Amino acid sequence: MNTESLLEELGLTKTEARIYLCLLEQSPLAAGTIADLTGTSRSSVYLILRSLVDKGLVDAGAGYSSRFQPAAPDVAFGGLLERGREEQRERERHVESALPDLMRRFETSAGGDGELVEILRTPKLVGDRFDRLHASSQQSIDIVVRRPVQLGGSNQPELDALSRGVRARAVYDHGLMRHPSVADHIGAWIEAGEEARVFHGDLPMKFAVFDGHTVLMPLFAPGVGGVVALIVRSRELCGALSLLFDTLWTASMPIDPDMFRLHHDHQPVTADGSHAH
């Protein structure tokens, strides 16, 4: 990639890049001379030069007939990158400010005339929607975790939710306690704020309830290939599953992360997939 193309990647227009390179090679120059050397119309060259001045890439003398010269590239582009970073931070602040209202509108629509039931048929789609439900949660996440485990990694969406003050509780099947997808991460999850318990029995089903109004429920049936999961937006269903969760929670034992690390022998347990959540 040539230098002019690289400058365009940094946000300059093709004409701005051409004029800036011209000034690097010979300067200072009057606007009319710049227009002639770069093939730019005289009617637009002042606007382009003003844009380069505003970006901090070009210095201009005083007066109508002033001449232009480039700023030192290391200083100029350092400032340009920092302004870009500040603009990005400002956009992030705007998104954070707008997101609660946007999610309220989205949830209101989804819980009213929107689609009440979604069927997810691929692991990637299930994982994407699972992450999005974490990202939109405002109050609580309750998860029952049993085999087959599905995703991998550190479960960053839950950590982000915990950092926002969302309460997350998880009931784990005892058979997953030595599975690396749980064993390698559960200490960090608990340290971040997850309330975790282990159920010493057969968990009846696997599901996650978000904010008491949306449930994600994987379905496993003989003869059905691949992954099938449902997202249901129903406070009635979530209420029933929350009662089931509370019953399982009461019957489960709290997990001591320190004791877990002491007794974990890192022996793998075979399961479909690699992550509990």
Side-chain angles (χ1 to χ4, degrees):
M1 184 178 291
N2 60 37
T3 303
E4 185 174 317
S5 298
L6 287 172
L7 292 175
E8 291 177 44
E9 290 293 325
L10 289 171
L12 275 65
T13 67
K14 185 178 291 292
T15 305
E16 286 175 340
R18 186 164 62 248
I19 288 177
Y20 178 69
L21 291 175
C22 174
L23 285 170
L24 284 176
E25 294 169 356
Q26 45 186 323
S27 64
L29 295 173
T33 304
I34 294 171
D36 293 338
L37 291 173
T38 59
T40 306
S41 68
R42 296 198 175 208
S43 61
S44 61
V45 71
Y46 279 103
L47 291 176
I48 297 169
L49 286 166
R50 175 51 55 190
S51 175
L52 289 171
V53 170
D54 291 342
K55 289 181 170 72
L57 302 181
V58 168
D59 296 326
Y64 179 78
S65 60
S66 63
R67 296 200 294 174
F68 297 83
Q69 61 185 8
D74 56 346
V75 175
F77 281 96
L80 183 66
L81 290 174
E82 180 54 36
R83 286 191 293 276
R85 285 190 286 267
E86 180 54 38
E87 290 172 0
Q88 178 62 28
R89 289 191 288 268
E90 185 66 19
R91 284 193 292 270
E92 291 173 355
R93 287 192 288 268
H94 289 326
V95 169
E96 290 176 0
S97 298
L99 197 56
D101 182 60
L102 294 174
M103 289 308 304
R104 179 187 60 79
R105 294 169 185 262
F106 171 77
E107 295 295 346
T108 300
S109 173
D113 297 329
E115 190 173 14
L116 297 181
V117 179
E118 296 180 57
I119 301 177
L120 314 176
R121 300 186 182 275
T122 67
K124 183 180 186 306
L125 186 57
V126 174
D128 288 346
R129 295 311 305 273
F130 184 75
D131 290 352
R132 286 172 56 185
L133 287 169
H134 271 83
S136 64
S137 294
Q138 300 297 316
Q139 297 176 335
S140 64
I141 304 168
D142 290 335
I143 305 177
V144 173
V145 187
R146 72 169 194 178
R147 297 186 188 185
V149 292
Q150 184 180 328
L151 304 176
S154 62
N155 198 16
Q156 189 62 43
E158 179 182 285
L159 298 179
D160 293 340
L162 289 166
S163 70
R164 298 194 308 273
V166 177
R167 183 187 187 188
R169 297 186 297 170
V171 173
Y172 292 92
D173 183 279
H174 68 95
L176 291 175
M177 289 297 96
R178 291 192 300 163
H179 191 284
S181 294
V182 173
D184 293 348
H185 300 284
I186 195 168
W189 300 334
I190 295 175
E191 184 177 351
E194 179 185 287
E195 301 172 45
R197 294 189 176 187
V198 59
F199 185 78
H200 292 279
D202 295 326
L203 289 171
M205 60 192 305
K206 181 178 182 180
F207 62 88
V209 177
F210 299 88
D211 285 342
H213 58 63
T214 302
V215 59
L216 188 151
M217 183 187 308
L219 302 177
F220 308 100
V224 177
V227 175
V228 176
L230 296 179
I231 291 179
V232 183
R233 298 179 180 88
S234 166
R235 291 190 179 275
E236 290 79 7
L237 177 60
C238 288
L241 290 176
S242 292
L243 286 175
L244 173 58
F245 181 89
D246 289 340
T247 299
L248 296 171
W249 180 261
T250 301
S252 300
M253 297 295 295
I255 297 175
D256 183 338
D258 294 327
M259 293 298 295
F260 183 85
R261 282 192 288 268
L262 286 172
H263 287 91
H264 174 55
D265 57 11
H266 294 284
Q267 294 177 359
V269 177
T270 303
D272 297 331
S274 62
H275 196 284
H277 284 195

